[in-house]
Amino acid sequence: PDVVISFLDTMNVLTLCATTGLGLPVIVCEQADPRQYTIGAAWELLRRMFYPKAVALVVVASAMVKWAELMVRKDRIRVIPNPVYVSPSGSRARSDHQGQRYTIVAMGRLVKQKGFDLLLNAFEQCKDRHPDWSLVILGEGDERKDLEALRAQLVLEDRVSFLGRVKEPTTILRRADLFVMSSRFEGFPLALIEAMACGLPVISADCPTGPSEIIRDDIDGILVSPNNVEALAFAMDRLMGNQAERQRLGACAVEVVERFGIEEIMNKWNEVISYANQATNID
């Protein structure tokens, strides 16, 4: 190959190990914030050993650059966000929903990182003031049984649905009224960008990386303190009770396509691939 591109922590290490001595330019990419989780002591050691062999290390958010500088030379670090693509033929249908139910959508793997337990507790605090609202969670994962048990404990069975994996989530997003991301940490959350691209008002936990580089707070979405059920519930309550505010945020949210569209992001990848092709100093 002219260039090898690898994604995700342990796969990056394996790729660099497998290509050692072949003289091939290897680009590795970190998708999540490595400061927020561990891949195990042995893998962490191997990552420190092998990452300097990469011709470039791509991170998805600028807040990850300082960590990347511990792994490779500064001139080899590139920040390239994840792209979004939403078909222009499927713009979100707006409705006043008179006499109908309203829907909050959340989306992601059902794991602790995504904070769906925080979301369920926040929704429980809001539900009585907004009886015409329901919560739909898309995704599958190891915590599904625990989350279903929490839903029962909070007496939310008739208000919260777990839909599992959905082939076309944008279909559901376009029919929804609000998107909430309650993650404890992220890299550069594609689900959040997809929701905004569908014209949804969004609320997101202000994770150490990601959301604050996507959302312009109180312009096209709302940022709240991470791991804070009360702050999340307050923001949800505010938007659930204010249709004009939801429409204002949603109208600006679609501008995310201009900032993180396919063409914009692929230009950045073309640049780093060209750099890798020209690089001769591979450690």
Side-chain angles (χ1 to χ4, degrees):
D2 297 302
V3 178
V4 179
I5 304 175
S6 174
F7 290 80
L8 306 179
D9 40 51
T10 56
M11 181 57 67
N12 292 340
V13 173
L14 291 173
T15 301
L16 289 164
C17 180
T19 55
T20 296
L22 298 181
L24 296 172
V26 179
I27 301 169
V28 295
C29 181
E30 288 281 353
Q31 287 285 307
D33 185 353
R35 302 168 301 174
Q36 306 301 322
Y37 72 104
T38 179
I39 54 176
W43 281 110
E44 294 284 1
L45 177 61
L46 289 169
R47 179 156 61 180
R48 286 185 174 272
M49 289 173 56
F50 281 98
Y51 267 35
K53 297 180 181 292
V55 72
L57 169 56
V58 174
V59 293
V60 292
S62 58
M64 295 164 62
V65 168
K66 287 192 177 296
W67 171 87
E69 290 175 354
L70 301 175
M71 298 290 163
V72 302
R73 294 199 320 249
K74 191 171 183 177
D75 61 309
R76 296 190 179 189
I77 300 168
R78 299 291 186 275
V79 179
I80 305 180
N82 289 325
V84 62
Y85 176 76
V86 174
S87 171
S89 63
S91 58
R92 197 168 87 88
R94 299 188 180 276
S95 167
D96 60 9
H97 286 266
Q98 291 182 359
Q100 301 179 25
R101 293 185 67 84
Y102 297 80
T103 305
I104 300 170
V105 172
M107 180 165 63
R109 290 175 295 119
L110 304 186
V111 295
K112 185 177 180 179
Q113 172 196 343
K114 301 298 182 179
F116 289 119
D117 55 321
L118 306 174
L119 176 58
L120 288 174
N121 280 288
F123 183 69
E124 192 277 333
Q125 293 187 16
C126 300
K127 67 179 178 64
D128 291 340
R129 289 187 295 277
H130 306 281
D132 51 350
W133 282 78
S134 60
L135 170 62
V136 173
I137 298 175
L138 313 182
E140 197 56 81
D142 296 339
E143 286 208 337
R144 176 157 185 162
K145 288 185 178 180
D146 291 340
L147 291 170
E148 289 176 336
L150 178 59
R151 176 180 62 178
Q153 178 185 332
L154 297 173
V155 195
L156 294 174
E157 292 97 331
D158 62 335
R159 303 283 296 275
V160 177
S161 303
F162 291 93
L163 298 190
R165 292 187 179 89
V166 176
K167 187 175 181 180
E168 295 291 342
T170 53
T171 301
I172 295 173
L173 291 173
R174 291 189 180 110
R175 293 200 303 260
D177 301 280
L178 178 63
F179 181 88
V180 179
M181 195 184 79
S182 51
S183 298
R184 291 179 165 89
F185 66 92
E186 284 286 347
F188 200 84
L190 188 56
L192 179 60
I193 306 176
E194 289 177 341
M196 295 174 70
C198 288
L200 268 175
V202 299
I203 297 169
S204 174
D206 190 7
C207 306
T209 64
S212 64
E213 297 184 43
I214 299 169
I215 292 175
R216 298 167 294 183
D217 192 28
D218 209 33
I219 296 174
D220 53 15
I222 303 296
L223 292 169
V224 301
S225 301
N227 295 294
N228 190 328
V229 171
E230 287 70 27
L232 187 61
F234 181 84
M236 290 168 62
D237 189 34
R238 168 189 164 189
L239 293 191
M240 290 162 75
N242 192 329
Q243 182 175 341
E245 186 74 349
R246 295 197 306 272
Q247 290 176 341
R248 178 183 72 83
L249 294 171
C252 293
V254 293
E255 296 171 9
V256 77
V257 176
E258 299 172 12
R259 293 186 287 139
F260 304 111
I262 289 287
E263 184 175 353
E264 179 75 16
I265 301 306
M266 289 312 299
N267 284 337
K268 294 180 182 292
W269 273 104
N270 285 335
E271 290 172 5
V272 74
I273 290 170
S274 296
Y275 165 81
N277 271 321
Q278 296 166 9
T280 56
N281 182 23
I282 301 174
D283 293 337

